[in-house]
Amino acid sequence: EFQRISWEQAISEIGAKLKGIYDTYGARSVYYQYQSGAYYDLNGSSTWHRLLNCMGGCLGYYGSYSSAQVSRLYPIIYGSNARSTMLEAHNSDLCLFFGYNPLEIRQSGSGEGYEFAQIKHKVKTILFDCRYTDTAAGSNIEYHACRPGTDAALISGIAYHLITNNMINETFLSEKCYGFRAEAAIPEKGLEALPYERSYEAYILGVGELDAVAKTPEWAERICGVPADTIRSVAEQLYAAKAPYIVGGYGLNRQANGEYNVWATAALCALLGAVGKRGTNTGHMPYSLNNLSSPGFPSLSSAENAKISVFTWPDAIRNGKEMTAFKDGVQLPADELDASGDGKLNA
């Protein structure tokens, strides 16, 4: 049975227990688990990090349940997690959303729902999602059901129609991108020569050395469930748009191999040259006003810098002493790794 106690007793008991763990087992035995709901106010994660850092640090985490794969992949594609705000869509003439649902995606009014509501009836919007959501309801949004996790196939079908009908931005692809077609080596950027058979165009057309299947709209339809004619129609609407605003929601990356859905979304932006100009996005989930203005609290720094994946905290509770860099993805300081790069969490 629960027993009511005073705040003074609760704080005293929790503080004493926490200090006892530090004194007996060390900072690495204290783990702060991320939770995205605590990011959006002054009393959230930064205040807890400050307290634990003042006490000597704690076992950290990397990754997230929301955006682990997209946050890893976008710096590889663009050099950063660059994206637009939802408000930039005011300057667009076509919004294309893959699994992006701004009217439901975050609770407590984080901004995107309000921002999207300003353009919902002004800018033509096409939405692919496995659910008919509040974002599409009560509007003239062009909604199409898509099987969960098949966005890369859907986008490949769109790309096939764009490429085979000369609806791509050749200038952007040649000046800003690497790998659409064959490439010479660029040593100063660490890029090897790329034969055409390994290029993106070869993959889409089905002449690549890794996959000899043409990614036609009919091929995509069998996988994603979206009719081939719809796929062609969307491709042509994208080509006709002066500033398409493309978004892949975080649901696209929350699965095994979700990085392919993410990468395909960014590739679609590149095919159209719909990056870096007014009314466009990078394919990433937009910043909301809240993301840009969330208050923070100085959390200080700590000497403790070991980290585990956010997915493995139950393993750390059960058997943290035996978790290793190779077996469990533990990130350790260099001086704790052996000659092969492995090491134990040992906490």
Side-chain angles (χ1 to χ4, degrees):
E1 296 292 331
F2 286 103
Q3 178 183 350
R4 184 180 295 277
I5 60 175
S6 68
W7 277 107
E8 289 75 11
Q9 181 181 350
I11 290 170
S12 177
E13 290 185 4
I14 293 169
K17 183 70 173 178
L18 182 60
K19 188 174 187 307
I21 293 172
Y22 273 96
D23 293 343
T24 305
Y25 301 105
R28 198 169 287 183
S29 290
V30 177
Y31 174 64
Y32 178 80
Q33 170 69 341
Y34 110 112
Q35 10 66 39
S36 57
Y39 286 149
Y40 299 115
D41 67 78
L42 185 62
N43 301 308
S45 58
S46 58
T47 49
W48 276 104
H49 280 135
R50 182 184 179 90
L51 171 64
L52 299 181
N53 284 339
C54 286
M55 296 183 72
C58 64
L59 177 62
Y61 62 81
Y62 64 89
S64 83
Y65 291 96
S66 291
S67 58
Q69 297 180 75
V70 64
S71 296
R72 178 75 178 95
L73 203 58
Y74 261 69
I76 296 173
I77 298 171
Y78 289 109
S80 73
N81 271 295
R83 67 194 87 172
S84 300
T85 66
M86 188 72 253
L87 291 175
E88 186 58 42
H90 279 281
N91 299 302
S92 172
D93 53 348
L94 177 66
C95 290
L96 175 60
F97 297 163
F98 298 97
Y100 178 53
N101 180 15
L103 289 183
E104 292 182 7
I105 195 164
R106 290 194 180 99
Q107 299 85 357
S108 306
S110 71
E112 278 139 296
Y114 174 80
E115 292 163 9
F116 179 67
Q118 309 307 303
I119 66 166
K120 187 174 182 180
H121 301 289
K122 299 177 182 178
V123 180
K124 171 65 185 292
T125 300
I126 302 171
L127 170 63
F128 290 98
D129 204 333
C130 56
R131 297 170 53 235
Y132 184 78
T133 66
D134 286 353
T135 295
S139 70
N140 59 355
I141 286 177
E142 182 181 323
Y143 167 77
H144 302 287
C146 178
R147 292 191 182 109
T150 63
D151 302 86
L154 168 62
I155 293 169
S156 295
I158 295 173
Y160 183 92
H161 190 77
L162 291 172
I163 292 170
T164 56
N165 288 278
N166 299 316
M167 295 177 172
I168 56 178
N169 190 319
E170 292 280 2
T171 301
F172 186 90
L173 290 167
S174 62
E175 294 181 358
K176 303 295 185 183
C177 302
Y178 169 90
F180 175 65
R181 295 195 181 102
E183 298 279 0
I186 311 177
E188 63 271 22
K189 293 188 177 181
L191 295 173
E192 301 176 353
L194 184 80
Y196 178 77
E197 291 74 18
R198 290 181 55 209
S199 70
Y200 179 78
E201 184 183 67
Y203 168 76
I204 294 296
L205 299 182
V207 296
E209 63 182 33
L210 300 178
D211 190 338
V213 177
K215 311 307 182 297
T216 65
E218 285 75 17
W219 168 88
E221 177 182 355
R222 292 193 294 272
I223 297 171
C224 68
V226 178
D229 286 344
T230 298
I231 294 173
R232 281 186 280 266
S233 170
V234 170
E236 290 171 8
Q237 290 183 69
L238 284 170
Y239 175 67
K242 294 179 180 179
Y245 187 94
I246 299 172
V247 178
Y250 279 171
L252 273 62
N253 91 134
R254 291 180 183 141
Q255 55 185 293
N257 302 315
E259 65 271 20
Y260 289 104
N261 294 330
V262 172
W263 189 84
T265 310
L268 183 58
C269 294
L271 286 177
L272 299 161
V275 179
K277 62 182 183 181
R278 298 311 302 263
T280 67
N281 186 30
T282 59
H284 207 313
M285 255 233 322
Y287 281 119
S288 72
L289 289 177
N290 182 277
N291 295 140
L292 298 174
S293 60
S294 292
F297 198 78
S299 58
L300 307 180
S301 59
S302 125
E304 183 55 67
N305 54 5
K307 295 181 179 180
I308 60 174
S309 164
V310 293
F311 303 102
T312 59
W313 62 269
D315 300 325
I317 291 172
R318 287 194 298 259
N319 196 30
K321 282 183 173 291
E322 302 304 317
M323 289 178 68
T324 71
F326 286 176
K327 178 169 63 71
D328 305 289
V330 177
Q331 295 182 356
L332 296 167
D335 60 2
E336 295 185 35
L337 301 175
D338 61 24
S340 66
D342 201 9
K344 278 189 175 182
L345 178 62
N346 199 31

